Amino acid sequence: MTNVLHWTTPDLALTFVLDDGPVRLTAVRAASQPAGAEPDPSQPLVEVRAVGHGHSSNRQAGTVLGGRLRYTGHEETGNTLRIVQEDEATGLRITSVFEAFAGVRAWTEASMIGPGSLELTSLSSLVVGLPSVDADLYSAVNSWMAENRWSKRALRDVLADIVRDPHHHVANSRYAVTSTNSWSTGEVLPVGVLVDRRTPNALGWQIEHNGPWHYEFGATARGGYLFLSGPTDLEHQWSFELTADNSFTTVPVSLVAGTDVDSVFAALTRQRRAIRTRRPIDDRMPVVFNDYMNTLQGDPTTEKLLPLIDAAADAGADYFCIDAGWYAEGDWWTTVGAWQPSATRFPNGLAEVIHRIHRRRMVPGLWLEPEVIGVRSPIAAELPDDAFLTRRGRRIAEKGRYLLDLRNAAARKHLDATIDRLVDEFGIGFFKFDNNTMTGPGTDKGGTSLGQGLLEHNRALLDWLDAIQARHPDLLIENCASGAMRMDYAMLSRLHLQSTSDQEHPLLYAPIVAAAPAVVLPEQAGHWAYPITGTSREEFILALVNGIPGRLYLSGHLNKMTPAELELVRSALTAHRAVLAELPSLVPAWPLGLPGWTDEWIALALNGPGVSYLTVWHRAPGPSTVTLPIPRGRIAPHFPTGLDNWTYEWSDDGLVVTANTAEPSARVLRLE
């Protein structure tokens, strides 16, 4: 007998099949979309691998245990649905949990109801049955200074289509996207969109983990599947001994639906806002000046900082962050860890510089890389080996740094004392938390698998961040990892700001800025604006435009700029503050499609109920024209104003934009 469970949230409708086989999630659609005919994919809702219960395939789908699970009940409480399945032979109990927000957030809980044990080697957070793999996948690669590079591919180009009837098997191929190591976005992004080619349906997801993760697609007898998970054995050397006293919970994932790419990213934007933990201080959204990019580059001194502080205050910055090197007597890379101000850089003490920041009515901030201890730091000898990530009892050392294990009390005590001291002594209100060193596959300390040791450390890091903000509710923290190498919503659901790149070339930064809202909230996207004195007016403007459609993160030698250049900076901050007032309600769209790395024209729209901000970049020299297919409205230059070398007119096809400049240029427009 087959029963169908329809679970509808304000934004999403899910259909589950409950019969004498494993539970199956057979349909996901936007709640506003008509139901239509429900497909019946054969893919189980949960896939489980364990030692002794494997299958001969690299696929994470089609598992023996996943196929043996049977429905035992479900419960709906408030905005939460829990579906329970069991395998009678092993005593495995699986609970699939769904929480309704703007989409749904899902994870899997595994436990044993008998005396036995299972050595798990893979457990899905969620598996979605697809009616077809005749679809286009939008996904992104991510690397240092070349973040957010999105592409589109047909799933059928990577999944073989062979004859399917009772006498032929389904192709065993898969298309897999995997992130290894501790940089969750070091190579690829944990976000994707699948657009069905046959129907106006699109599915979007994100994996919310600050460490390794995996997703994959494959064809099945009656459609296909999307598998989402954290670490696995095959991909990440992860396993977990499951007993009656030792349960396991996967990393969470979010799922949304829409009709096309832009509607899915709008839904993901609303979902990120819904799952984000906000404190009153997060409503402030200050303009932060940071001394690093195209400025001091990790070499701060009192002499260099004091004029920068005055210039930043005069320009209108709210916070002033001193970046890397403030603690170093020489090399700032291998000496990290003690976090004491340098005596040679600050002859009269760091307090002199901090006092100037306070006196100029700005909040002081400091760069910190809390998770590492330099091999040349005195702290390296003071802390026990157990305070560090180890393999076979030896400290993991990567590029001159040891890696703290945040599960360890001594490691956390050292970091807590550091944070509390800097806040109490200097009134620090902002930290730029960086992370420039990867861990490798993990730690086997305590007898765990390498992947499980890393997962436990990842979760301990999140607990540590929560504890900091509980003790210091007015503290803002930026999430940085060599720019955006850990740009995930385990971190961003609890931190204030995300550095979107370390890219220093304004023209190369433009596609990074434009694509950022696909993976991070506009109000959390810290885009560097680092105008360089002496450059042409258009290049100076373009560097400022890059910061406006998000959180403008100001840098540059403001103290060396001409009055005309400083007036442009102040004008950009005024324009940015107008966007800031609307930003928490805006959702992204891309009139020219998601930007390509070498595109000549790039456009990003941030749309609200009554207003849109449209940022347009032209990255080639000489005059050029482009038509943006957007609804007609009242349009006005937002930044810069008073220039007439870009023109705008409406046609039947949309807004016709012409850049009449001899060099690359960019503009921000306001549409009502």
Side-chain angles (χ1 to χ4, degrees):
M1 179 178 180
T2 299
N3 292 315
V4 176
L5 170 62
H6 295 287
W7 191 61
T8 303
T9 77
D11 294 270
L12 212 58
L14 282 68
T15 300
F16 301 89
V17 172
L18 316 175
D19 56 17
D20 57 359
V23 175
R24 301 183 298 284
L25 174 56
T26 59
V28 180
R29 61 177 174 81
S32 58
Q33 288 289 100
E38 295 286 7
D40 184 24
S42 56
Q43 174 58 48
L45 171 64
V46 178
E47 294 285 10
V48 194
R49 276 184 169 183
V51 174
H53 302 273
H55 66 297
S56 297
S57 171
N58 283 336
R59 279 186 171 198
Q60 294 294 352
T63 58
V64 172
L65 287 174
R68 288 211 315 238
L69 292 172
R70 295 296 181 265
Y71 169 78
T72 61
H74 72 275
E75 178 184 18
E76 296 182 57
T77 307
N79 71 333
T80 304
L81 169 67
R82 300 174 67 88
I83 300 175
V84 182
Q85 300 182 80
E86 293 177 0
D87 172 36
E88 184 178 353
T90 59
L92 172 65
R93 173 179 287 167
I94 293 291
T95 303
S96 298
V97 185
F98 298 84
E99 281 187 334
F101 291 98
V104 297
R105 200 180 201 196
W107 64 89
T108 303
E109 299 169 355
S111 60
M112 297 294 290
I113 55 175
S117 67
L118 282 174
E119 185 73 13
L120 298 180
T121 56
S122 175
L123 178 61
S124 60
S125 296
L126 178 64
V127 189
V128 182
L130 304 174
S132 166
V133 291
D134 185 14
D136 292 321
L137 170 65
Y138 293 80
S139 61
V141 293
N142 206 58
S143 61
W144 185 41
M145 295 195 289
E147 292 85 352
N148 298 319
R149 287 175 289 137
W150 287 83
S151 63
K152 169 187 171 183
R153 70 177 63 201
L155 273 188
R156 268 295 171 217
D157 289 344
V158 290
L159 296 176
D161 189 11
I162 64 176
V163 175
R164 281 186 275 179
D165 63 34
H167 302 286
H168 295 84
H169 294 291
V170 175
N172 214 21
S173 59
R174 67 172 182 169
Y175 177 73
V177 179
T178 303
S179 178
T180 62
N181 223 302
S182 55
W183 276 356
S184 59
T185 56
E187 294 182 297
V188 283
L189 293 181
V191 182
V193 176
L194 192 69
V195 180
D196 194 309
R197 289 183 162 189
R198 306 169 308 160
T199 64
N201 290 314
L203 190 68
W205 65 90
Q206 66 180 21
I207 301 173
E208 295 157 8
H209 181 44
N210 55 328
W213 51 265
H214 176 80
Y215 72 77
E216 70 179 46
F217 295 93
T220 63
R222 295 200 296 273
Y225 70 88
L226 166 61
F227 172 100
L228 305 170
S229 80
T232 69
D233 181 42
L234 181 63
E235 283 81 15
H236 310 104
Q237 303 180 50
W238 174 87
S239 64
F240 181 87
E241 186 178 8
L242 191 70
T243 68
D245 299 321
N246 197 28
S247 60
F248 179 76
T249 300
T250 67
V251 305
V253 301
S254 280
L255 198 65
V256 301
T259 57
D260 56 18
V261 172
D262 281 355
S263 66
V264 167
F265 280 122
L268 276 171
T269 300
R270 292 188 291 269
Q271 174 73 354
R272 290 164 187 153
R273 286 181 176 135
I275 67 173
R276 183 184 173 200
T277 300
R278 289 183 63 88
R279 303 161 299 149
I281 190 63
D282 289 307
D283 294 332
R284 186 171 185 193
M285 295 202 294
V287 172
V288 180
F289 181 93
N290 181 293
D291 66 30
Y292 189 85
M293 199 67 72
N294 278 333
T295 314
L296 301 187
Q297 300 280 0
D299 188 28
T301 65
T302 300
E303 181 181 9
K304 295 175 181 178
L305 284 169
L306 292 181
L308 267 180
I309 292 166
D310 290 339
D314 291 341
D318 303 302
Y319 283 46
F320 189 103
C321 181
I322 303 170
D323 209 275
W326 59 270
Y327 52 85
E329 301 298 345
D331 172 41
W332 63 269
W333 183 264
T334 61
T335 59
V336 293
W339 306 116
Q340 295 291 342
S342 166
T344 56
R345 294 179 181 275
F346 310 107
N348 299 321
L350 181 62
E352 178 184 13
V353 175
I354 298 295
H355 177 69
R356 179 69 70 90
I357 296 171
H358 283 299
R359 189 157 62 84
R360 293 307 310 266
R361 299 183 181 276
M362 293 185 293
V363 176
L366 286 175
W367 178 94
L368 212 64
E369 195 169 359
E371 296 161 69
V372 298
I373 301 290
V375 297
R376 294 175 52 225
S377 171
I379 301 298
E382 295 175 12
L383 288 172
D385 286 343
D386 200 47
F388 299 91
L389 298 177
T390 60
R391 291 184 68 170
R392 298 186 179 181
R394 299 181 62 181
R395 296 183 185 184
I396 298 172
E398 296 291 334
K399 203 176 179 181
R401 275 106 172 276
Y402 298 123
L403 306 154
L404 288 174
D405 187 337
L406 271 295
R407 299 173 297 176
N408 179 265
R412 290 181 66 145
K413 181 179 180 181
H414 162 66
L415 293 184
D416 286 341
T418 296
I419 298 299
D420 295 347
R421 169 173 53 83
L422 293 172
V423 170
D424 294 342
E425 183 176 350
F426 297 113
I428 298 300
F430 179 90
F431 280 111
K432 177 181 177 177
F433 277 179
D434 210 341
N435 179 254
N436 297 298
T437 309
M438 294 186 288
T439 61
T443 175
D444 53 11
K445 190 170 59 180
T448 70
S449 65
L450 291 171
Q452 178 61 20
L454 180 56
L455 176 60
E456 291 175 2
H457 163 74
N458 294 144
R459 288 172 163 171
L461 169 62
L462 300 178
D463 290 340
W464 177 69
L465 292 171
D466 291 341
I468 288 174
Q469 293 179 105
R471 293 200 311 277
H472 303 289
D474 292 332
L475 182 65
L476 296 181
I477 300 175
E478 172 194 347
N479 184 42
C480 180
S482 288
M485 300 298 97
R486 198 164 61 183
M487 184 169 51
D488 60 76
Y489 266 84
M491 300 292 286
L492 288 172
S493 65
R494 46 186 36 91
L495 298 183
H496 179 76
L497 188 68
Q498 171 67 54
S499 180
T500 55
S501 185
D502 279 351
Q503 176 55 248
E504 295 179 81
H505 195 297
L507 280 180
L508 294 180
Y509 202 2
I512 298 172
V513 168
V519 68
V520 61
L521 284 174
E523 60 266 33
Q524 290 182 290
H527 300 317
W528 291 92
Y530 36 64
I532 302 172
T533 185
T535 55
S536 71
R537 184 177 178 85
E538 289 295 352
E539 186 174 349
F540 198 93
I541 288 171
L542 194 150
L544 290 167
V545 164
N546 284 342
I548 290 175
R551 294 289 300 281
L552 191 150
Y553 203 7
L554 186 61
S555 195
H557 287 284
L558 302 182
N559 55 309
K560 299 179 181 180
M561 291 181 179
T562 66
E565 289 171 337
L566 287 173
E567 182 55 36
L568 274 175
V569 173
R570 284 190 286 268
S571 175
L573 262 61
T574 298
H576 175 59
R577 291 187 196 281
V579 177
L580 276 181
E582 312 269 4
L583 205 54
S585 63
L586 304 181
V587 296
W590 292 269
L592 299 176
L594 287 162
W597 188 247
T598 59
D599 285 356
E600 176 182 348
W601 284 95
I602 295 172
L604 167 65
L606 295 175
N607 298 325
V611 65
S612 295
Y613 291 96
L614 178 65
T615 306
V616 185
W617 294 263
H618 179 238
R619 296 197 297 162
S624 183
T625 297
V626 69
T627 299
L628 305 179
I630 59 176
R632 184 182 296 263
R634 186 172 62 185
I635 188 169
H638 188 65
F639 178 81
T641 57
L643 296 179
D644 58 4
N645 50 2
W646 276 47
T647 60
Y648 319 98
E649 58 184 17
W650 292 100
S651 73
D652 292 341
D653 296 322
L655 180 64
V656 180
V657 178
T658 300
N660 294 301
T661 56
E663 59 186 312
S665 53
R667 298 291 186 266
V668 183
L669 310 175
R670 179 182 170 95
L671 284 79
E672 294 180 355

